[in-house]
Amino acid sequence: MPMTAYLYPFLAIVLWAGNVIVSKLAASAISPVAITFYRLILLLVLMSPFVLAPLWRNRALIRRHWWKLALSGLLAMAFFQSLSYRAAFSTTATNMAIVTALIPLLTALLSVLVLGEAVTVGMAAGGVLSFAGLLYLVGQGDLSQALRGGVHLGDALMLLAALSYSLYGVLLKHWKMNVPAWQAIYVQAIAGLLFMLPQFLLLAPGSAALDARTLPLIGYSGIGSSILLSYLWIEGVKRLGPNRCSIFINLLPLMTALLAILLHEQMHAYHLIGGGVSLVGVLLTQVVQRPLTAARRLPAKGA
């Protein structure tokens, strides 16, 4: 395996970390609904010249899977993105990255519920560790404070966003659609845009302004984190496989913390301890695969 193959998921995570920073910057500049809507518009405009013709030739397959693609778009393009932007109002970029890095663990847990996969020893131990680390993080180093005061709104929204993206991945695995990746992304973006449109039309004047402050944020969201990130991740999965690529998500908090220096965010001990414990839990989930319970296999739905 050439070492250059590892650059694809690594650069994808760098772009993902940049998007977390953009989310924080956008929180004080533009509505979460507006930036989600604009980034989808930009994605569709840039991809249309390359995707429309093959999409039309493949219309019979698209028609057969349209509702699955639409639901995928709602989960990944609308819910995940808009919840992430909204979470940025009330939590730090570092916290957002640590919660996002739980996606592999959440995916494994949802695979048990949705796909009937076996519970592994790593999943059980990793789930407990990750939950404890997350409580320590949101309690800012005090587990009792987290239990008394509950999870902060921003962290809760980010966890909901991570769950949405995890369910997206599990459903894609379950359905096994043979739609080409770029065509699937394009149709998902259309579904996400249609879902966001009514909310966009109800926005208050001024909350969706296009100006020198918001245009670069929309540009990065639409090009960097929607198109380039997707391309790098798809190529990484082709070369390394999904399991190896998912390990790179553990780098997200580190990359984000380094970039968060631009936002003057400080790294505290509870970030290192809580985030570190959570990520060890995620690694356990991926590495320790000895079954704890028998699998309850469900038939795949490819049609």
Side-chain angles (χ1 to χ4, degrees):
M1 180 69 64
M3 292 302 295
T4 52
Y6 291 91
L7 281 175
Y8 289 95
F10 176 76
L11 292 175
I13 293 302
V14 172
L15 288 172
W16 200 335
N19 191 56
V20 177
I21 302 301
V22 166
S23 299
K24 282 297 295 180
L25 294 172
S28 59
I30 188 170
S31 160
V33 170
I35 190 170
T36 304
F37 183 82
Y38 287 140
R39 72 179 283 171
L40 291 173
I41 288 283
L42 182 57
L43 183 153
L44 291 171
V45 167
L46 293 175
M47 289 184 66
S48 289
F50 309 99
V51 176
L52 279 180
L55 188 70
W56 176 253
R57 290 194 295 270
N58 211 20
R59 60 188 181 280
L61 180 63
I62 299 298
R63 191 181 303 117
R64 190 158 71 246
H65 293 296
W66 73 268
W67 70 269
K68 298 173 185 176
L69 291 166
L71 180 56
S72 300
L74 294 185
L75 291 171
M77 299 285 187
F79 293 159
F80 176 72
Q81 299 297 345
S82 58
L83 286 171
S84 299
Y85 290 127
R86 198 169 296 279
F89 280 97
S90 51
T91 191
T92 65
T94 304
N95 278 29
M96 290 174 67
I98 291 172
V99 176
T100 303
L102 295 177
I103 285 176
L105 170 65
L106 296 172
T107 300
L109 295 174
L110 286 173
S111 294
V112 173
L113 297 175
V114 178
L115 305 181
E117 293 186 355
V119 178
T120 65
V121 173
M123 197 183 300
V128 172
L129 270 180
S130 291
F131 183 68
L134 193 58
L135 283 180
Y136 190 86
L137 174 72
V138 299
Q140 298 182 349
D142 186 352
L143 281 173
S144 61
Q145 177 182 321
L147 293 172
R148 288 194 309 270
V151 178
H152 299 300
L153 177 61
D155 295 322
L157 288 173
M158 201 62 235
L159 184 59
L160 188 59
L163 274 168
S164 175
Y165 198 85
S166 299
L167 180 58
Y168 162 73
V170 169
L171 289 177
L172 287 185
K173 182 179 179 181
H174 181 44
W175 288 328
K176 290 182 170 59
M177 294 179 288
N178 55 341
V179 178
W182 287 118
Q183 295 178 34
I185 290 171
Y186 191 87
V187 177
Q188 289 166 7
I190 292 174
L193 184 68
L194 292 174
F195 177 80
M196 299 305 299
L197 179 59
Q199 301 173 65
F200 178 79
L201 295 176
L202 294 174
L203 285 177
S207 61
L210 295 174
D211 53 35
R213 188 181 180 191
T214 60
L215 284 174
L217 302 177
I218 296 166
Y220 185 95
S221 299
I223 300 172
S225 62
S226 293
I227 297 177
L228 293 180
L229 193 160
S230 297
Y231 169 76
L232 290 167
W233 194 258
I234 289 168
E235 288 299 312
V237 169
K238 283 181 182 177
R239 287 167 168 77
L240 300 173
N243 291 331
R244 283 183 181 175
C245 279
S246 65
I247 292 174
F248 279 81
I249 295 179
N250 296 306
L251 293 175
L252 183 60
L254 173 62
M255 296 296 178
T256 305
L258 293 174
L259 292 176
I261 295 172
L262 300 173
L263 301 177
H264 308 291
E265 286 190 6
Q266 293 184 344
M267 178 65 72
H268 297 283
Y270 60 80
H271 284 124
L272 296 174
I273 297 171
V277 170
S278 292
L279 295 180
V280 167
V282 174
L283 281 173
L284 274 177
T285 304
Q286 296 170 296
V287 173
V288 183
Q289 296 295 320
R290 185 159 62 88
L292 186 66
T293 64
R296 178 180 51 85
R297 291 289 177 185
L298 300 178
K301 296 180 180 178

